[in-house]
Amino acid sequence: MAAKAKSTVVVKKARVSAEELFEAGAHFGHMVKRWNPKMKKYIWGKKAGIHIFDLEKTVTKLDEACDALTKLAAEGKNIVLVGTKRQAKDIVKAVAMENKIGYVTERWLGGIITNWKQVKTRIDKMLDLTKKREAGELKKYTKKEQILFDREIAKLEKFLGGLADLKIAPEVLVIIDTHKERSAVREAKNRGLTVIGVVDTNSNPDDINYAVPMNDDATKAIEIVVKQFGKAVAEGRIKKSEE
Protein backbone atom coordinates (compact mmCIF):
# COMPACT_ATOMS: atom_id res chain seq x y z
CA MET A 1 0.00 0.00 0.00
CA ALA A 2 1.43 3.35 -1.07
CA ALA A 3 2.33 5.77 1.67
CA LYS A 4 0.32 8.98 1.82
CA ALA A 5 2.17 12.06 0.66
CA LYS A 6 2.82 14.57 3.38
CA SER A 7 1.09 17.92 2.88
CA THR A 8 3.33 20.96 2.81
CA VAL A 9 2.16 24.06 4.57
CA VAL A 10 3.88 27.25 3.46
CA VAL A 11 4.07 29.77 6.27
CA LYS A 12 4.52 33.32 5.10
CA LYS A 13 7.23 35.18 6.97
CA ALA A 14 6.08 38.30 8.76
CA ARG A 15 7.41 41.57 7.37
CA VAL A 16 8.55 42.69 10.82
CA SER A 17 9.13 40.66 13.98
CA ALA A 18 7.68 41.34 17.41
CA GLU A 19 11.26 41.62 18.66
CA GLU A 20 12.04 44.44 16.23
CA LEU A 21 8.92 46.30 17.27
CA PHE A 22 9.70 45.75 20.94
CA GLU A 23 13.19 47.19 20.56
CA ALA A 24 11.66 50.21 18.83
CA GLY A 25 9.27 50.81 21.73
CA ALA A 26 6.11 49.89 19.82
CA HIS A 27 4.68 48.03 22.81
CA PHE A 28 4.06 51.10 24.98
CA GLY A 29 0.52 52.43 24.94
CA HIS A 30 -0.86 55.45 26.77
CA MET A 31 -1.61 55.73 30.46
CA VAL A 32 -4.38 53.37 31.53
CA LYS A 33 -6.75 56.23 32.39
CA ARG A 34 -6.54 57.52 28.79
CA TRP A 35 -7.48 54.31 27.05
CA ASN A 36 -10.34 53.56 24.68
CA PRO A 37 -11.98 50.28 25.79
CA LYS A 38 -12.44 49.32 22.12
CA MET A 39 -8.68 48.73 22.01
CA LYS A 40 -8.87 46.01 24.68
CA LYS A 41 -8.39 43.12 22.23
CA TYR A 42 -4.96 44.46 21.24
CA ILE A 43 -3.64 44.99 24.76
CA TRP A 44 -1.47 42.43 26.53
CA GLY A 45 -1.68 44.04 29.97
CA LYS A 46 -0.45 47.05 31.90
CA LYS A 47 2.71 48.07 33.69
CA ALA A 48 3.34 51.09 35.90
CA GLY A 49 -0.01 52.53 34.89
CA ILE A 50 0.67 52.19 31.15
CA HIS A 51 -1.03 49.77 28.78
CA ILE A 52 1.23 47.35 26.92
CA PHE A 53 0.39 46.11 23.43
CA ASP A 54 0.38 42.46 22.43
CA LEU A 55 3.00 42.79 19.70
CA GLU A 56 2.20 39.42 18.17
CA LYS A 57 -1.18 40.89 17.26
CA THR A 58 0.56 44.02 16.00
CA VAL A 59 2.72 41.90 13.67
CA THR A 60 -0.37 40.13 12.31
CA LYS A 61 -2.27 43.36 11.80
CA LEU A 62 0.68 45.03 10.10
CA ASP A 63 0.91 42.15 7.63
CA GLU A 64 -2.82 42.38 6.94
CA ALA A 65 -2.55 46.13 6.37
CA CYS A 66 0.43 45.76 4.04
CA ASP A 67 -1.25 42.96 2.08
CA ALA A 68 -4.29 45.18 1.62
CA LEU A 69 -2.10 48.12 0.61
CA THR A 70 -0.29 46.02 -2.00
CA LYS A 71 -3.64 44.89 -3.43
CA LEU A 72 -4.99 48.45 -3.52
CA ALA A 73 -1.83 49.74 -5.20
CA ALA A 74 -2.05 46.93 -7.77
CA GLU A 75 -5.58 48.10 -8.52
CA GLY A 76 -4.24 51.57 -9.22
CA LYS A 77 -5.87 53.25 -6.25
CA ASN A 78 -4.81 56.78 -5.37
CA ILE A 79 -3.02 56.36 -2.02
CA VAL A 80 -2.12 59.20 0.36
CA LEU A 81 0.05 58.97 3.49
CA VAL A 82 -1.02 61.21 6.38
CA GLY A 83 1.23 61.99 9.34
CA THR A 84 1.37 65.51 10.75
CA LYS A 85 2.80 64.87 14.20
CA ARG A 86 6.42 65.76 14.86
CA GLN A 87 7.52 62.13 15.29
CA ALA A 88 6.01 61.07 11.96
CA LYS A 89 6.15 63.90 9.45
CA ASP A 90 9.77 63.55 8.29
CA ILE A 91 9.65 59.81 7.71
CA VAL A 92 6.21 60.02 6.10
CA LYS A 93 7.46 62.65 3.66
CA ALA A 94 10.67 60.75 2.91
CA VAL A 95 8.90 57.43 2.23
CA ALA A 96 6.17 59.14 0.22
CA MET A 97 8.66 60.99 -1.98
CA GLU A 98 10.82 57.89 -2.46
CA ASN A 99 7.81 55.87 -3.63
CA LYS A 100 5.96 58.71 -5.40
CA ILE A 101 2.99 58.56 -3.03
CA GLY A 102 0.82 61.55 -2.17
CA TYR A 103 1.27 62.83 1.37
CA VAL A 104 0.05 65.30 3.99
CA THR A 105 2.52 66.23 6.74
CA GLU A 106 1.05 69.55 7.83
CA ARG A 107 -2.48 70.17 9.08
CA TRP A 108 -5.16 68.16 7.30
CA LEU A 109 -7.26 70.65 5.34
CA GLY A 110 -10.95 69.82 5.40
CA GLY A 111 -12.24 69.13 1.90
CA ILE A 112 -9.21 67.32 0.51
CA ILE A 113 -11.57 64.40 -0.14
CA THR A 114 -15.07 65.88 0.02
CA ASN A 115 -14.26 69.09 -1.89
CA TRP A 116 -11.47 67.86 -4.12
CA LYS A 117 -12.46 70.08 -7.05
CA GLN A 118 -11.73 73.22 -5.03
CA VAL A 119 -8.54 71.76 -3.56
CA LYS A 120 -7.34 70.80 -7.06
CA THR A 121 -7.92 74.39 -8.17
CA ARG A 122 -5.56 75.58 -5.42
CA ILE A 123 -2.97 72.95 -6.35
CA ASP A 124 -3.13 74.04 -10.00
CA LYS A 125 -2.67 77.65 -8.92
CA MET A 126 0.41 76.67 -6.90
CA LEU A 127 1.90 74.81 -9.85
CA ASP A 128 1.12 77.67 -12.24
CA LEU A 129 2.67 80.33 -10.00
CA THR A 130 5.74 78.17 -9.40
CA LYS A 131 6.20 77.60 -13.12
CA LYS A 132 5.87 81.32 -13.84
CA ARG A 133 8.37 82.21 -11.11
CA GLU A 134 10.91 79.72 -12.42
CA ALA A 135 10.47 81.12 -15.94
CA GLY A 136 10.98 84.65 -14.67
CA GLU A 137 7.48 85.73 -15.61
CA LEU A 138 6.81 87.24 -12.18
CA LYS A 139 9.71 89.68 -12.43
CA LYS A 140 7.49 92.14 -14.28
CA TYR A 141 5.67 92.78 -11.01
CA THR A 142 6.87 95.10 -8.26
CA LYS A 143 9.11 93.72 -5.50
CA LYS A 144 6.22 93.92 -3.07
CA GLU A 145 3.97 91.94 -5.42
CA GLN A 146 6.73 89.36 -5.96
CA ILE A 147 7.06 88.93 -2.20
CA LEU A 148 3.31 88.35 -1.96
CA PHE A 149 3.53 85.73 -4.73
CA ASP A 150 6.41 84.02 -2.90
CA ARG A 151 4.38 83.91 0.31
CA GLU A 152 1.36 82.49 -1.49
CA ILE A 153 3.42 79.79 -3.17
CA ALA A 154 5.10 78.90 0.15
CA LYS A 155 1.76 78.60 1.93
CA LEU A 156 0.22 76.46 -0.80
CA GLU A 157 3.34 74.30 -0.97
CA LYS A 158 3.32 73.80 2.80
CA PHE A 159 -0.20 72.39 2.93
CA LEU A 160 -0.75 70.99 -0.57
CA GLY A 161 2.73 70.31 -1.98
CA GLY A 162 2.51 66.62 -1.16
CA LEU A 163 -0.64 66.32 -3.28
CA ALA A 164 0.74 68.15 -6.32
CA ASP A 165 0.91 65.02 -8.51
CA LEU A 166 -2.62 63.83 -7.74
CA LYS A 167 -5.03 64.00 -10.67
CA ILE A 168 -8.03 62.74 -8.74
CA ALA A 169 -9.11 62.77 -5.08
CA PRO A 170 -7.45 60.36 -2.63
CA GLU A 171 -8.99 56.87 -2.63
CA VAL A 172 -7.01 55.31 0.23
CA LEU A 173 -5.62 56.99 3.35
CA VAL A 174 -2.72 55.56 5.35
CA ILE A 175 -2.74 57.42 8.65
CA ILE A 176 -0.23 57.65 11.48
CA ASP A 177 -2.14 58.37 14.72
CA THR A 178 -5.80 58.06 13.80
CA HIS A 179 -6.78 59.84 17.03
CA LYS A 180 -4.89 63.00 16.11
CA GLU A 181 -6.00 62.78 12.49
CA ARG A 182 -9.64 62.05 13.27
CA SER A 183 -10.78 64.81 10.90
CA ALA A 184 -9.12 62.95 8.04
CA VAL A 185 -10.63 59.66 9.23
CA ARG A 186 -14.09 61.21 9.44
CA GLU A 187 -13.84 62.71 5.96
CA ALA A 188 -12.56 59.44 4.48
CA LYS A 189 -15.32 57.37 6.03
CA ASN A 190 -17.98 59.83 4.89
CA ARG A 191 -16.93 59.02 1.33
CA GLY A 192 -16.40 55.30 1.90
CA LEU A 193 -12.63 55.34 1.45
CA THR A 194 -10.37 52.57 2.72
CA VAL A 195 -8.44 53.70 5.80
CA ILE A 196 -5.27 52.01 7.03
CA GLY A 197 -4.06 53.43 10.30
CA VAL A 198 -1.68 53.18 13.24
CA VAL A 199 -3.88 53.13 16.34
CA ASP A 200 -2.70 53.67 19.90
CA THR A 201 -4.57 52.66 23.07
CA ASN A 202 -6.44 55.98 23.13
CA SER A 203 -7.84 55.48 19.62
CA ASN A 204 -11.12 54.17 18.25
CA PRO A 205 -10.38 51.36 15.78
CA ASP A 206 -13.98 51.02 14.57
CA ASP A 207 -13.64 53.38 11.60
CA ILE A 208 -10.30 51.96 10.49
CA ASN A 209 -10.47 49.22 7.86
CA TYR A 210 -6.98 47.96 8.67
CA ALA A 211 -5.81 48.99 12.13
CA VAL A 212 -2.18 48.53 13.17
CA PRO A 213 -2.20 48.66 17.01
CA MET A 214 0.99 50.12 18.48
CA ASN A 215 2.69 53.11 20.02
CA ASP A 216 2.15 56.04 17.64
CA ASP A 217 4.64 58.31 19.43
CA ALA A 218 7.83 56.23 19.15
CA THR A 219 9.82 57.62 16.23
CA LYS A 220 11.72 54.38 15.52
CA ALA A 221 8.55 52.28 15.59
CA ILE A 222 6.82 54.72 13.24
CA GLU A 223 9.80 54.57 10.88
CA ILE A 224 9.70 50.77 10.75
CA VAL A 225 5.99 50.68 9.95
CA VAL A 226 5.93 53.56 7.45
CA LYS A 227 8.79 51.97 5.51
CA GLN A 228 6.77 48.75 5.33
CA PHE A 229 3.81 50.72 4.01
CA GLY A 230 6.06 52.20 1.33
CA LYS A 231 7.35 48.76 0.33
CA ALA A 232 3.79 47.43 0.16
CA VAL A 233 2.76 50.18 -2.25
CA ALA A 234 5.86 49.58 -4.37
CA GLU A 235 5.07 45.83 -4.54
CA GLY A 236 1.55 46.58 -5.69
CA ARG A 237 2.71 48.91 -8.43
CA ILE A 238 5.15 46.31 -9.71
CA LYS A 239 2.30 43.80 -9.92
CA LYS A 240 0.20 46.33 -11.80
CA SER A 241 3.01 47.01 -14.28
CA GLU A 242 3.36 43.27 -14.95
CA GLU A 243 -0.28 42.80 -15.89
Side-chain angles (χ1 to χ4, degrees), residues 44-89:
W44 171 80
K46 55 187 177 182
K47 187 174 182 181
I50 295 175
H51 273 130
I52 304 298
F53 280 106
D54 182 338
L55 291 182
E56 293 296 340
K57 291 183 178 179
T58 302
V59 168
T60 298
K61 288 297 181 180
L62 176 59
D63 278 338
E64 289 176 2
C66 287
D67 287 344
L69 202 48
T70 295
K71 182 175 182 294
L72 292 162
E75 293 171 356
K77 296 294 184 182
N78 207 3
I79 300 166
V80 172
L81 301 183
V82 182
T84 66
K85 66 195 305 178
R86 175 181 52 80
Q87 301 94 320
K89 61 195 313 180

Side-chain angles (χ1 to χ4, degrees), residues 106-166:
E106 296 298 330
R107 179 171 58 88
W108 175 268
L109 299 180
I112 289 177
I113 298 168
T114 56
N115 194 19
W116 172 252
K117 186 176 180 180
Q118 180 61 35
V119 172
K120 186 66 169 66
T121 298
R122 295 174 69 185
I123 292 173
D124 290 342
K125 182 178 182 180
M126 174 189 70
L127 295 174
D128 182 59
L129 284 174
T130 301
K131 183 179 179 181
K132 286 179 177 178
R133 183 174 64 181
E134 291 175 350
E137 295 179 26
L138 299 182
K139 290 183 179 180
K140 63 183 178 181
Y141 295 95
T142 66
K143 287 186 177 180
K144 183 178 180 180
E145 288 174 324
Q146 289 182 51
I147 289 172
L148 292 176
F149 280 130
D150 287 341
R151 287 177 179 172
E152 184 172 12
I153 292 171
K155 184 176 180 181
L156 289 169
E157 175 67 33
K158 179 178 180 180
F159 291 104
L160 299 173
L163 305 176
D165 294 332
L166 271 64

